[in-house]
Amino acid sequence: MGNIFKLFGVWGMSIAACRRMRRTLSFRLTLWYSGLFFLSTVILFGVMYLLLAHSLQRRDYKELRGALTEYQSKYDKGGVTAVAEEVAVEGGLAERLHLLVRVATAANTTLFLDSPPFWKKRFDVTQLEKRAPEKKQLLRFPASDGDEEILILEIASLPLPEGMLLQVGKSTHEREKLLEQFRETFIGVMGPILIFSVAGGALLSVRALSPLRGLIHTLHAIIATGALETRASVPGTEDELADLSRLFNTMLGRISLLISGMQSTLDNVAHDLRTPMTHLRGMAEVMLQTEASETALREALVNCIEESDRILTMLNTLMDISEAEHGAMRLEKEPVSVYELVTQAIELYQDVAEDKAIQIATAVLPELYFCADRNRMLQVLTNLLDNAIKYTASGGQVTITATRDDQHIVLTVTDTGVGILPEDLPHIWDRLYRGDTSRSQRGLGLGLSFVKAIVQAHLGEVTVSSQLGQGARFLLTLPLDHFS
Ligand code: ADP
């Protein structure tokens, strides 16, 4: 009993395995390949068969035409007697050729009829008198003893003088035998061809799909171990599957880069927020421990809100910087007019500049376009403009220029402010770094890190030149991309 259950279990498993196999691409490819191969072989044999049948028929017709001409010339010389003599002379030959020769009157009455002795015995060829003669005709004569054998004759007719008729016929037997042999050979080879096409198809699909199996194997390994550094082996060919393997590996590289970028973003942000968060907590703790008045408590709450706003801004900017640095930022690139960009930035800072009696001058080439994320670029420009106004004393000047070279937009933001200490210059791009000259000004020390990250994400460059007390000049070089 147990054995029967086991048997059913094995049976069920093999049915499931068969179903799974039927769904595989290798199976379908094998099926398609062998099916197409088999079908083309059948078509090829079919065409060859038709061609052979046609050429055998033409050969027989030619023979009949030759015989007709020969007997016609005999008739022209000596009438029916001459035809009969010729047939008698060629008696052996006629028999060998399986030819029928007949001369008939205008009323289709037989004057002379000769056919191989074997036909005479078995088939009633005199029946020809009952059929209206045609130039070319195919006639069937059943065996006179009721046997199933049938004689099929191809008969060619030629009119003779005075309405007489000359007919020569030939059996199709020989031709049919040849064609039958061909058909038998065809059926005989079909079995091996089918086996060969299935084996060929299986081999081909196994070979063609081996890179895909490699990819699947790599994916399984990555899912099982989480090891993103694993790479699929790339076949030595230059085909689509090699491309797919290469792309797959590139994608894996990009994913691991993004993941490590996100990891370091998280580490950096956590590290950078620790100090302000501790500060915020400290403020709240102090107020809780002291017997403060309601006004003092309210003031502390306002400070806490301001501090948390600062932290929020900081967090957002830190996230943006990290995303831009690690290529995770989505840039909505579009053609951007430099003139419009500069005008928009100035509009935002016009009031601040006027309050400080700082003049903003521009020298921007019109019709200057480049491919960039408009909002991000506006943030870059406003950060530089904000710094320029912030670090310039009343009555100073800020100048924005924009030109282009062959492949770049060149933007400068120059001020006549305090300038940057030479020892600060290498560090001003670092996150949370604030120069000595900036102590009295508001700021998070993130503006320039943001500018640099966004410019680099656009494949551009930003540099600074400054001398203490003589202002600073920031120079941006951004690729035009395909816009001019
Ligand atoms: P902050 O919030 O301090 O302005 P940034 O990252 O924008 O932070 O700038 C970093 C430092 O670079 C500033 O603290 C300041 O010392 C210096 N700096 C930036 N822009 C200028 C400028 N136009 N003139 C003088 N110093 C500048």
Side-chain angles (χ1 to χ4, degrees):
M1 193 69 173
N3 278 347
I4 291 179
F5 279 128
K6 241 188 232 169
L7 208 69
F8 272 119
V10 172
W11 174 246
M13 261 153 59
S14 38
I15 288 182
C18 273
R19 281 212 188 110
R20 259 203 312 282
M21 200 184 84
R22 263 176 36 200
R23 283 200 295 268
T24 60
L25 186 59
S26 332
F27 179 77
R28 274 180 287 149
L29 265 183
T30 308
L31 211 68
W32 269 102
Y33 174 82
S34 45
L36 282 177
F37 187 82
F38 190 72
L39 194 75
S40 11
T41 316
V42 170
I43 291 175
L44 192 76
F45 262 95
V47 170
M48 275 164 63
Y49 179 82
L50 288 178
L51 285 176
L52 181 70
H54 184 68
S55 82
L56 286 176
Q57 196 182 40
R58 274 168 60 104
R59 194 194 64 183
D60 284 356
Y61 281 160
K62 204 173 150 195
E63 200 180 311
L64 286 179
R65 270 201 308 276
L68 266 182
T69 334
E70 197 187 321
Y71 291 123
Q72 182 195 26
S73 72
K74 291 290 166 199
Y75 183 88
D76 289 346
K77 278 182 201 153
V80 182
T81 332
V83 174
E85 273 168 14
E86 177 67 15
V87 171
V89 173
E90 289 181 349
L93 186 66
E95 190 179 347
R96 186 167 54 83
L97 288 176
H98 291 268
L99 278 184
L100 168 141
V101 184
R102 178 174 177 252
V103 180
T105 62
N108 201 18
T109 314
T110 305
L111 287 181
F112 172 78
L113 175 69
D114 186 76
S115 62
F118 172 70
W119 300 359
K120 278 182 204 154
K121 270 184 247 151
R122 299 222 58 203
F123 308 102
D124 184 11
V125 285
T126 55
Q127 292 279 327
L128 275 167
E129 285 190 348
K130 293 180 187 150
R131 326 243 174 144
E134 287 167 32
K135 209 170 169 213
K136 236 193 249 175
Q137 71 193 127
L138 194 74
L139 295 179
R140 290 162 186 272
F141 297 91
S144 36
D145 55 6
D147 195 359
E148 275 193 4
E149 200 182 347
I150 291 177
L151 171 71
I152 302 172
L153 283 185
E154 240 158 22
I155 296 177
S157 307
L158 191 78
L160 296 172
E162 294 151 22
M164 299 284 276
L165 183 78
L166 175 64
Q167 285 186 311
V168 177
K170 190 184 179 204
S171 157
T172 58
H173 177 72
E174 202 183 314
R175 202 163 80 206
E176 282 307 323
K177 235 169 76 181
L178 251 164
L179 290 175
E180 195 185 321
Q181 264 172 16
F182 188 90
R183 284 196 298 269
E184 275 167 11
T185 317
F186 171 62
I187 290 164
V189 296
M190 271 303 109
I193 284 182
L194 190 66
I195 294 169
F196 176 76
S197 62
V198 171
L203 195 80
L204 204 84
S205 72
V206 165
R207 268 187 67 92
L209 296 179
S210 90
L212 264 188
R213 273 195 297 279
L215 281 186
I216 293 170
H217 180 75
T218 313
L219 266 175
H220 276 308
I222 291 174
I223 291 167
T225 61
L228 275 172
E229 62 282 357
T230 318
R231 294 289 177 271
S233 61
V234 180
T237 50
E238 283 303 318
D239 55 13
E240 292 89 339
L241 286 174
D243 278 350
L244 181 69
S245 305
R246 266 191 288 272
L247 281 174
F248 179 73
N249 285 344
T250 314
M251 191 186 70
L252 275 182
R254 198 150 162 67
I255 289 175
S256 30
L257 204 76
L258 280 179
I259 288 181
S260 66
M262 277 160 68
Q263 188 74 50
S264 71
T265 303
L266 222 65
D267 292 349
N268 289 337
V269 171
H271 175 263
D272 293 339
L273 287 185
R274 200 159 288 142
T275 318
M277 287 298 284
T278 317
H279 184 222
L280 180 68
R281 192 178 187 285
M283 266 192 333
E285 213 169 20
V286 168
M287 289 318 286
L288 275 179
Q289 279 167 6
T290 51
E291 285 291 320
S293 65
E294 198 191 316
T295 331
L297 279 173
R298 278 189 172 279
E299 214 170 283
L301 272 178
V302 170
N303 284 344
C304 279
I305 290 175
E306 274 172 9
E307 189 63 15
S308 50
D309 280 351
R310 239 173 79 88
I311 293 172
L312 216 61
T313 317
M314 205 168 167
L315 179 68
N316 287 336
T317 320
L318 279 170
M319 293 299 285
D320 279 349
I321 294 171
S322 277
E323 275 186 9
E325 277 175 352
H326 295 109
M329 179 176 273
R330 257 183 81 86
L331 294 175
E332 309 280 345
K333 285 194 174 184
E334 58 182 320
V336 176
S337 151
V338 181
Y339 182 82
E340 279 173 22
L341 199 71
V342 172
T343 314
Q344 215 177 337
I346 292 173
E347 266 171 20
L348 289 172
Y349 277 84
Q350 196 65 58
D351 292 346
V352 189
E354 272 169 18
D355 287 350
K356 271 186 92 175
I358 289 173
Q359 201 196 341
I360 303 178
T362 54
V364 180
L365 278 184
E367 300 300 316
L368 210 55
Y369 283 86
F370 74 124
C371 184
D373 185 317
R374 184 189 302 274
N375 290 331
R376 293 298 183 191
M377 272 301 146
L378 187 64
Q379 284 178 303
V380 165
L381 217 57
T382 49
N383 264 294
L384 292 177
L385 199 55
D386 182 63
N387 278 353
I389 297 171
K390 199 162 69 176
Y391 299 114
T392 301
S394 283
Q397 178 167 326
V398 175
T399 314
I400 302 179
T401 68
T403 50
R404 59 164 288 183
D405 63 17
D406 267 0
Q407 286 154 14
H408 301 96
I409 293 286
V410 184
L411 263 164
T412 63
V413 181
T414 315
D415 62 62
T416 54
V418 290
I420 303 168
L421 281 168
E423 56 267 35
D424 280 340
L425 273 176
H427 305 292
I428 54 169
W429 310 104
D430 296 347
R431 279 199 318 268
L432 302 173
Y433 186 85
R434 303 208 68 209
D436 244 12
T437 47
S438 66
R439 295 290 171 225
S440 56
Q441 300 291 340
R442 63 179 163 85
L444 295 170
L446 288 174
L448 288 183
S449 324
F450 178 82
V451 167
K452 190 171 183 181
I454 299 289
V455 168
Q456 283 181 348
H458 279 81
L459 307 177
E461 258 183 38
V462 53
T463 55
V464 63
S465 52
S466 173
Q467 273 186 7
L468 199 62
Q470 291 182 16
R473 180 168 186 262
F474 288 85
L475 183 134
L476 305 177
T477 318
L478 290 152
L480 286 163
D481 275 9
H482 47 276
F483 299 103
S484 52

